[in-house]
Amino acid sequence: MDVRNLTGKTALVTGAASGIGKQSALAFGRRGADLVICDIDEAGLADTEKELRGIGRQVQSSRVDVADRDAMQAFAADIHQQIGSVDLLMNNAGVALGGRFLETSLEDWDWILGINLRGVIHGCHFFVPKMKEAGRGGHVVNVSSAAGYLPGSVLNAYVTTKYAVLGLSEALSTELAPHGIGVTALCPGIIDTPITRNARLRGALDTDEMRDQMVSQYGKRGYGPERVAENLLKAIQSNRTVAPISPEAWIGYGLKRLAPGLVRWLGARGERNALKNSGS
Ligand SMILES: NC(=O)c1ccc[n+]([C@@H]2O[C@H](COP(=O)([O-])OP(=O)(O)OC[C@H]3O[C@@H](n4cnc5c(N)ncnc54)[C@H](O)[C@@H]3O)[C@@H](O)[C@H]2O)c1
């Protein structure tokens, strides 16, 4: 999809109240697109809407939980009735869960699978058919992660959802290519957003010190969501199916392809060190 000038196009972004979703909505808006945005955080959504209107864009803003199938179906019906099919669909809403498999409850699994995986499936299921029907081509961005190809043991459930989103996107890109619809799995890296503040933490990670340490590490890394949004535009322009963004995401991607044994060895070493430090 040519994103150099999005005037006359409509972009939909889920989870647009904060972080990568908000900055991507603004980046699409600056290129001329009108926006459909949703989130469960109404105050944040109102701020994003105000900023988009400030740059002259039309905005449809709704409180929608992407994990709620009925709500997503009603949202899609409403958008299709009011403005027709969208041109750019970004399934971005997501949450994080730090914890190993043996520390993750089934309730945690339901929560993260509902948002990170079923949320993406709902977005594609309810919006892609109309994109195809409209025959104008377009683009779908599904937000995966470097954890979509690097299996960190302390992020087991998160890794599971992000691997699944990567696989879904790769398969979908083949299916939609004949219709002129590109698909990108966005794999950002370590990005300084509120996701670390809001993540569920389990096991040894579940302490105030560990959370503060994680928030501070992401802050010190200093790679902001506005840079992700700028690089996402380049990835859509060049129709990249898998789009690592920050340098560490690229390094991980290269290592996984060229030296998967090294990636497994580093993971096992990290796990041994963590066990030693916890005295288990
Ligand atoms: N920050 C990072 O380092 C990083 C790295 C890789 C991937 N990601 C992914 O990027 C995406 C955006 O994350 P972010 O870092 O901008 O975090 P963020 O917390 O700033 O933004 C996530 C947004 O999703 C919304 N959301 C959460 N649950 C929702 C639901 N059920 N329905 C609708 N909206 C919901 C939140 O309210 C929030 O506004 C996520 O999918 C995340 O997994 C982030």
Side-chain angles (χ1 to χ4, degrees):
M1 180 178 188
D2 188 349
V3 290
R4 285 171 298 180
N5 182 352
L6 291 171
T7 309
K9 307 275 186 208
T10 302
L12 184 155
V13 182
T14 69
S18 170
I20 294 167
K22 175 175 185 166
Q23 294 306 324
S24 300
L26 287 167
F28 301 150
R30 281 189 215 100
R31 298 274 175 112
D34 291 324
L35 269 299
V36 175
I37 54 174
C38 79
D39 204 294
I40 48 172
D41 169 6
E42 289 180 88
L45 205 54
D47 285 345
T48 304
E49 179 178 356
K50 198 166 154 209
E51 287 187 49
L52 285 164
R53 290 197 189 281
I55 56 171
R57 301 283 77 86
Q58 300 205 359
V59 188
Q60 291 273 345
S61 170
S62 310
R63 188 206 178 278
V64 182
D65 177 349
V66 296
D68 181 337
R69 182 183 301 173
D70 294 341
M72 283 294 276
Q73 185 169 23
F75 176 48
D78 188 37
I79 294 304
H80 291 141
Q81 201 210 351
Q82 287 191 52
I83 55 179
S85 75
V86 303
D87 300 285
L88 208 172
L89 168 68
M90 180 170 181
N91 292 304
N92 160 79
V95 289
L97 195 158
R100 294 177 169 78
F101 180 83
L102 296 179
E103 298 158 348
T104 306
S105 70
L106 290 176
E107 194 276 329
D108 284 337
W109 276 102
D110 287 343
W111 174 71
I112 198 163
L113 285 168
I115 301 168
N116 288 12
L117 179 55
R118 271 195 291 279
V120 174
I121 295 169
H122 290 156
C124 292
H125 179 83
F126 290 118
F127 288 97
V128 169
K130 286 272 187 251
M131 292 172 74
K132 180 184 151 193
E133 210 177 288
R136 299 194 301 271
H139 207 90
V140 177
V141 178
N142 293 328
V143 182
S144 176
S145 168
Y149 45 80
L150 296 172
S153 57
V154 291
L155 289 172
N156 192 300
Y158 186 75
V159 161
T160 302
T161 62
K162 295 302 183 179
Y163 264 68
V165 169
L166 192 80
L168 183 161
S169 305
E170 286 194 295
L172 189 63
S173 75
T174 308
E175 181 178 341
L176 297 184
H179 306 287
I181 302 173
V183 180
T184 294
L186 181 74
C187 304
I190 297 173
I191 314 301
D192 187 17
T193 73
I195 201 167
T196 42
R197 256 299 143 226
N198 301 326
R200 287 189 183 181
L201 299 179
R202 299 294 181 243
L205 294 178
D206 188 11
T207 65
D208 290 346
E209 294 79 44
M210 288 308 286
R211 185 179 299 278
D212 290 346
Q213 205 178 314
M214 189 169 69
V215 170
S216 136
Q217 275 168 358
Y218 274 61
K220 280 195 195 125
R221 171 68 189 85
Y223 200 105
E226 53 296 316
R227 285 174 76 185
V228 177
E230 277 313 307
N231 284 308
L232 170 61
L233 284 168
K234 292 180 195 156
I236 299 173
Q237 187 69 36
S238 55
N239 197 17
R240 277 198 76 88
T241 306
V242 181
I245 296 293
S246 68
E248 65 275 7
W250 273 109
I251 291 167
Y253 189 61
L255 271 183
K256 184 66 195 281
R257 285 159 73 97
L258 300 171
L262 178 61
V263 172
R264 272 195 301 277
W265 181 81
L266 287 169
R269 198 182 69 155
E271 190 60 28
R272 273 198 307 276
N273 286 345
L275 277 178
K276 216 186 296 164
N277 292 340
S278 70
S280 316

